[in-house]
Amino acid sequence: MEDDMSTRAIYTFSDTDNTVHVYKHHDGYPYCKFDGGEAGGLVWIKDAEYFAWDLPRFEADEFAASFVRAHKSVGGGVRLIGDQKPWEYASDCEYWYKVACVDGGLYVTVMSVDWFMENDEPRQLPVMEGPLDELLATQRARKEVA
């Protein structure tokens, strides 16, 4: 794989009433294709759909639980952060995924994070954003051509 296996990431799931943060200790880069499969944050979000309510029903806490269910095997590699701000919990994360339901589908904003604080917030550098299925299709096509 092209990226370090311990790339940490925060996943924030938001709806009109709730925001829930999940920490994942490894494979947090956006996308990687390898012999036998694919990995990365976009894939992990897609995997959670299997355990969640069918879209367009989207509840942040329920989807966060589905994300944890999809990726929790043993140990502390995936966990709910609680009400802490993500940068207070895991200041060594390289990516921050912000997920919401827009027009009946998952919409994802992927940020590369420099946890150096500016105005009480970490610096967030946009990597990509859009409907999850479109982002995955673009990444899959890019990796096949490369």
Side-chain angles (χ1 to χ4, degrees):
M1 286 194 224
E2 66 186 46
D3 292 300
D4 184 271
M5 293 298 290
S6 62
T7 304
R8 294 160 182 80
I10 298 291
Y11 299 80
T12 298
F13 304 97
S14 299
D15 61 32
T16 56
D17 298 318
N18 294 304
T19 296
V20 180
H21 306 290
V22 176
Y23 168 81
K24 190 168 188 308
H25 184 77
H26 61 283
D27 297 338
Y29 42 82
Y31 183 81
C32 179
K33 187 171 187 169
F34 58 95
D35 291 340
E38 56 186 358
L42 297 173
V43 175
W44 307 148
I45 296 165
K46 186 70 178 172
D47 288 349
E49 282 186 299
Y50 179 80
F51 298 100
W53 291 111
D54 290 336
L55 294 169
R57 182 174 180 177
F58 179 85
E59 298 167 15
D61 56 349
E62 190 274 338
F63 200 88
S66 299
F67 183 90
V68 172
R69 166 60 182 93
H71 302 289
K72 185 80 168 174
S73 54
V74 295
V78 180
R79 64 180 72 191
L80 298 173
I81 293 176
D83 62 359
Q84 289 179 293
K85 294 177 182 173
W87 53 90
E88 292 173 344
Y89 179 81
S91 61
D92 61 346
C93 289
E94 294 181 43
Y95 292 98
W96 189 356
Y97 296 83
K98 299 176 183 182
V99 182
C101 185
V102 175
D103 296 329
L106 294 179
Y107 190 90
V108 181
T109 302
V110 182
M111 308 296 286
S112 173
V113 183
D114 175 350
W115 295 99
F116 179 79
M117 301 300 283
E118 289 182 346
N119 302 321
D120 295 326
E121 293 267 333
R123 279 189 287 199
Q124 302 170 47
L125 309 167
V127 174
M128 64 183 79
E129 87 176 284
L132 176 61
D133 290 337
E134 290 179 21
L135 294 177
L136 273 169
T138 299
Q139 292 300 304
R140 287 170 176 150
R142 184 179 67 84
K143 293 296 182 182
E144 289 173 5
V145 171

